[in-house]
Amino acid sequence: MSDNNANLTVGGESKDYAIMDGTVGPQVIDVRKLYANTGMFTYDPGFTSTASCESGLTYIDGDEGILLHRGYPIGQLAEQSSFMEVCYLLLNGELPSAKELAEFTTTITRHTMVHEQLTTFYRGFRRDAHPMAIMCGVVGALSAFYHDSTDINDPAQRTIASHRLIAKMPTIAAMAYKYSVGQPFVYPRNDLSYTANFLRMTFSVPAEEYEPDPVIVDAMDKIFILHADHEQNASTSTVRLAGSSGANPFACIAAGIACLWGPAHGGANEAALNMLREIGTVDRIPEYIARAKNKDDPFRLMGFGHRVYKNYDPRATVMQKTAKDVLEKLGVNDPVFDVAKELEKIALNDPYFVEKKLYPNVDFYSGVILSAIGFPTEMFTVLFALARTVGWVAQWNEMISDPAQKIGRPRQLYTGPTQRDYVPVDKR
Ligand code: CMC
């Protein structure tokens, strides 16, 4: 709590509202008593000025382009850490010792198999179903399979549910892919790392051995780290809101997946690559820049702009370098990467984008890498969901453990009709 208060005068009456301090970042005004004091609500569609919770997980300074997980810069984590280590960090608050990391990795590895009955669940979907549709359904269905980890008041059950979700998500995601291409599901293998295992479950076939390429494993692990958590974004807020009613963790994460799917959020990686492919060649870029600037055209440059970042998204910096490394090492010459780099250059020098502080975000380059690895565009958002699961469960756990937690229940400014009398149908 700060020594200062914010003083608000409504109808001639002044009241003080406490100003709260975080460890870093803007202070917040505690308006919880506002309605009781004034009979008024605050109005903030899209929560542009509203802190919905306290959180010790992730910090973003959007003006400076800084992203910290538990205090550690994302660039350092992406370059020096592993996804398993970042999962441990997000869940537990500190980097693990070697022993803790080994134990945690073993625990996650031992939870990667899914209930065999779940495999039949997939067969209810059309083969051409979008894999995110399958993810929403299958992850929600986990609550029907793992009854022993749905009691949210039991910390041990919460831990098991968290481990299960992180561990099973690659299996579920790979199965969604296999189902769409008509290949048999591949069981996880405990001698492989989290990421290598996922690649094998996705790309191997029973007919021959599959050796995960270390370059691809490393790039994929970085992509997972870059997507692991991102403060109170739309899907995380959805998970928290769903969880605030006491819903079980599998249902909450399914809600998060549904929210992530939208093109303004996680669906942007799929939309960004589709857009780059549609542009096709560097000479067509001006046409698309003009469309993005035209107020009468709903087109937006996908993978550009962010609610919080008004500077280069630090994840995009790592992503661009990873894209270059992967394409070079795989010997892939995808013209889409040239289009992406040129589009970035032109946009960053265009007054429209400069004035509105629109920079490439995490989704701008990720599609180039994922496509080079061999994923179809429909799988891109699934990979985002896979990686973000740790952030969702860590935020969900933080919320449940917070004594100040209440059911999320925003208010509204009502603009509909005032009370009127019902008119029978024959009199209308
Ligand atoms: N292309 C062209 N103009 C844009 C873009 C863009 N990509 N993004 C924002 N603008 C303009 C927008 O038209 C508005 O102009 P004006 O003030 O004249 O009306 C101004 O910039 C502010 O935009 P906004 O929609 O009010 O900003 P927001 O904070 O509500 O939206 C956003 C943020 C990410 C939804 C938006 O920038 C966008 O739609 N970007 C494209 C989709 C995208 O890449 N999403 C991924 C975000 S990062 C990963 C994730 O969160 O999942």
Side-chain angles (χ1 to χ4, degrees), residues 81-137:
S81 182
S82 68
F83 183 62
M84 271 301 93
E85 195 172 47
V86 172
C87 286
Y88 184 98
L89 174 69
L90 286 170
L91 288 173
N92 299 293
E94 295 297 334
L95 287 169
S97 66
K99 183 167 171 281
E100 286 165 337
L101 180 59
E103 280 169 7
F104 178 71
T105 306
T106 303
T107 303
I108 297 298
T109 308
R110 295 277 152 80
H111 277 297
T112 48
M113 279 175 68
V114 293
H115 193 293
E116 192 62 17
Q117 182 81 20
L118 205 68
T119 59
T120 56
F121 197 84
Y122 282 78
R123 305 196 201 286
F125 289 96
R126 286 168 53 139
R127 288 276 174 191
D128 61 354
H130 194 289
M132 281 298 278
I134 298 182
M135 294 298 287
C136 292

Side-chain angles (χ1 to χ4, degrees), residues 264-266 268 295 300-301 303-304 306-307 352 356 361 363:
H265 192 8
K295 281 262 156 274
R300 286 187 167 198
L301 275 196
F304 252 78
H306 198 274
R307 168 62 60 78
Y352 174 94
K356 294 187 190 304
N361 60 50
D363 294 319

Side-chain angles (χ1 to χ4, degrees), residues 213-216 218 321 323-332:
D213 181 332
V215 173
I216 297 179
D218 186 56
K321 185 175 171 301
K324 185 169 167 288
D325 291 350
V326 168
L327 295 189
E328 256 170 37
K329 284 183 187 147
L330 294 182
V332 173

Side-chain angles (χ1 to χ4, degrees), residues 129-132 177 180-181 203 261 266-278 334 336 363 366-384:
H130 194 289
M132 281 298 278
Y177 172 70
S180 71
V181 290
F203 294 121
W261 194 357
N269 53 13
E270 179 177 347
L273 194 80
N274 287 337
M275 175 194 77
L276 292 172
R277 293 231 184 279
E278 189 184 305
D334 190 343
V336 95
D363 294 319
S366 61
V368 177
I369 311 173
L370 297 174
S371 171
I373 293 175
F375 289 102
T377 44
E378 306 81 64
M379 278 297 287
F380 292 0
T381 314
V382 173
L383 301 172
F384 193 153

